[in-house]
Amino acid sequence: MNKHTKFGFYIFFIPVFLWLFLLIVLPHIELLFMSLKYENDMGEMVWSLQNYKEFFSEEIYWLTFLRVALYAILVTFLTFVVTFPIAFYITKVVSPKYKGFLIILLLMPFWVSELVRVYGWMILLRESGVINYFLVSLHILDKPIEMLYNDVSMIMGLVYTSMLFMVVPLISSLDGMDDSYIEAAHDLGASKFIIFFKIVIPYTAPGIVSGSIVVFMLTLGNYLTPNLMGGKNSLWFTEQIYNQFIASFNWNQGAAFGFLLLLLSSLIIWIGLKLTKQNLAKALS
Amino acid sequence: MNHSLEIKELKKSFQDFKAVDGVDFYVEEGKFFSILGPSGCGKTTLLRMIAGFLEPTSGSIKIRGDEMIGISPNKRPVNLVFQNLALFPMMDVGENIAFGLKRQNCSKSEIEEKVKNILEKVHLGGYERKNVSDLSGGQKQRVAIARSLVLEPSILLLDEPLGALDLKLREQMKIELKKLQHEFGTTFIYITHDQSEALVMSDKVAVMNNGKFEQIDTPENLYANPKTSFVASFVGETNIFEARLNEDRKSVLTKEGMNFKVFLVDEKIQTFCKLFIRPEAVVLLVDDGMEDMNYFDLTIKTILFDGSNTKVLANVDKSDHEIMVSLPQNRRFAHIKEGEVVRAGVHVSDCKCYE
Amino acid sequence: MIRSLPKSKGYDISFIIYMVLFYTFLFAPLVVTCVLAFNDSEFPTLPWNGFSLDWFFSNTNDRVGIFNDSSNLTSIWISIKTAFFVSIFSLTLGTMGAFLFEQENFKFKQGFYFLALTPLVIPGVILGISLLLSTNTAGTYMENTFGIDVEFFRPSFWLVVIGQFAFISTFVLLVVSARLKKFDKSLEEAALNLGATRFEVIRLITLPYLKPALIGAGAVAFLMSFENFNTTLFLIGSDTTLPINLYLQVRDGSTPIINAISFLLIVSTSLMAIINLIFTKKEQ
Ligand SMILES: Nc1ncnc2c1ncn2[C@@H]1O[C@H](COP(=O)(O)OP(=O)(O)OP(=O)(O)O)[C@@H](O)[C@H]1O
Ligand SMILES: [Mg+2]
């Protein structure tokens, strides 16, 4: 029996180990090494922090970086604000008859590719788009205006794309919350406001944290939505990375950017977990 | 002669904790053997070692004379009925029962035949294609037992199989199980913490405590002549007095100040001891004057009516000590009311003293 | 506030208004996309010029329907192939991982588990460039030292499969683990006790028990792979997957053929979602 167990263990362990080592650990070490190499004037590759210096000395780089970080936090917050009432309504208010149907309806759009969703928004919002068509035909506008390609449309697009990853954990943690907590608080004379902030929010905190982590991470790493919906000057940091890799073919600089983005996302997630006293394994499963 | 199961000096430790601490016993072919003990005393651990899911720290397990240590569970001629039954939810009743037969590469027709027969024997004829989850508790029970019995094991191990059933069904299954065992003639090793299950069904019962066997005996003997104070208190109801032994070693003085003539089970007792008296050993409304009786007054406090099992709670003599006494439901005792004082007596042989 | 407590009219009505607005917001882009796939127009916009299936079937000089557009058809086929391999591989590895982390005990288990979850918080773009960099290094090394050119060390179909597999495995692992956690170990023991070998136990008991989770995880893996953009972007060779191909078309000005493709995607993914849902419902 013991021999069997050992044998079985290695059958499982070796592939998993290879996966983690070859496809996760090693590539990221390589990313770090590449970011620390720089081609000097002689055309030789040398170890250097030059790629990082570049980042801090060029305003456009670190400004983009900062802006993306702030926007990602904003998007995470907005996503929470938009989806919380929905999750609450579906789990606690609406008659249970409709609950299943509303949830399915809620999840349906997210099975469809992000690109299709973004495309839908583009044909709605752009100057020749559907909304403009209606506004002009109803004489609300004299001539079409460009509603796409600005920060507002981009943020809306990002919120739209991320909603699923917030609403699912919210629904499951609200579902797990017994109605009697709210009833008891109500019975003890608490106002809606107090119930919300003292009972509901603390109870659903784990769901909020795990939703926020995923939304934040996906927003930070998003490429499509900012690229297609954002304006010329709402450059996303992933686009900077792409430019370094594909346009300038400066892989070392790109690696440095990538590594910085990785650091940023890990850092903010870590702070988020610390502040709410959660741990990663629990928050993600 | 080969016993069905023979266990010697079996031990199992988890880190420092001795879950099974040196158990010795044998079970004769075709007997119903129960292991009775409180929760956590190591019953499941012992059973899992016999089935092969746990490796003993030391000791030997022989089935029909063959050593089992080192043999994997799927090769042992024992089958286990799990505490939670463990019926496979992805298979129907027939497939569940056929599972073990298929592993033995029986022919299709043979399997069909055997499944049909065994189902009839457990009164579930024609249930082959039923879904496991559609069965009632008692039916699941019988499927689980049939699934093991169909393999004709040397020994069938049962780990509190009635634990999940409600009281009524449990009473019914007790009788059913006993009948099944008779019919099949398979050796049953039955684990329980319910003394009535053990006493009703078994040919022999082992009482287990803290990883050790305290006594192995027939149910009658276990009840009538418990060897240790643990057995005396665990098997059946009993009244306990703290007492100290008098010089003559034939009587004791209880904490309440009463003198009892007693029977010493434990010859080693120095001074302090415990006196055990079964509720039904106390005879109410007796005539004084017999040599080998102890007499005392009982002040009836409460009558606990429970049909044929009715008891009274009463104070002994003038003390606060409460004891339980059986109250047979016949006319002779019908007039006994709460608050009354009644003369009572108990035979010396029923006053057992333990360490 | 909730079902069982008294509510004011205003509270109820504002909730309902919000719900309607939200669901409109949710479905507007998809509905508009689908509707405009059938508009008899050169551009994916209003006015409505009448119903037409041109963007599906036509094959003239100025209108090529999706079923005659070889570039898009090829990219769909490539995406299906990619998704097929990715789901097979990640289903296998993710299940192994679930067994490893749920049923085995070993040194540094927590550390390995943490590592296995990290793909969830690594942005896809980063994973893409890291794999690009390291395979490039490995490829160069192989070529310089041994003079062999290993295909999947260069951006190519197989590199895309590997890149997607690297993070989709984690999702499979989570889904399968969740079900394995609820698995009653005594079922395995019962099977062993009835004479099954370890291999038979896995084949006859554990895998059938995991089936719904495996189907669900497989569907999720397939969809994630089919739709992946961020990681794929950096690893792609000449075999363009559908999302990349669509992206290039959307970026460079769009025709209703994109609506037609989107319509097909929406319909097929919804179908898949519904089938998956029915499956999980039935298992419960
Ligand atoms: N794997 C283990 N590791 C450590 N201790 C264990 C392990 N398995 C059992 N024990 C301990 O061994 C003791 C006996 O356990 P066992 O399951 O045999 O009890 P039991 O008599 O079957 O009880 P119950 O009637 O409640 O089923 C318990 O105290 C338990 O905590
Ligand atoms: Mg037990």
Side-chain angles (χ1 to χ4, degrees), chain B residues 40 43-45 83 159-160 191:
Chain B
K43 305 181 296 286
T44 302
T45 309
Q83 193 156 4
D159 189 356
E160 301 195 30
I191 281 193

Side-chain angles (χ1 to χ4, degrees), chain C residues 163-180:
Chain C
Q164 296 185 350
F165 159 79
F167 76 95
I168 290 176
S169 296
T170 299
F171 288 86
V172 175
L173 189 148
L174 282 179
V175 174
V176 178
S177 291
R179 179 136 177 114
L180 203 52

Side-chain angles (χ1 to χ4, degrees), chain A residues 7-17, chain C residues 96 99-100 104 202:
Chain A
F7 182 61
F9 169 75
Y10 284 111
I11 285 190
F12 296 143
F13 182 75
I14 290 172
V16 171
F17 177 79
Chain C
M96 286 178 162
F99 275 104
L100 182 70
E104 306 283 348
I202 292 186

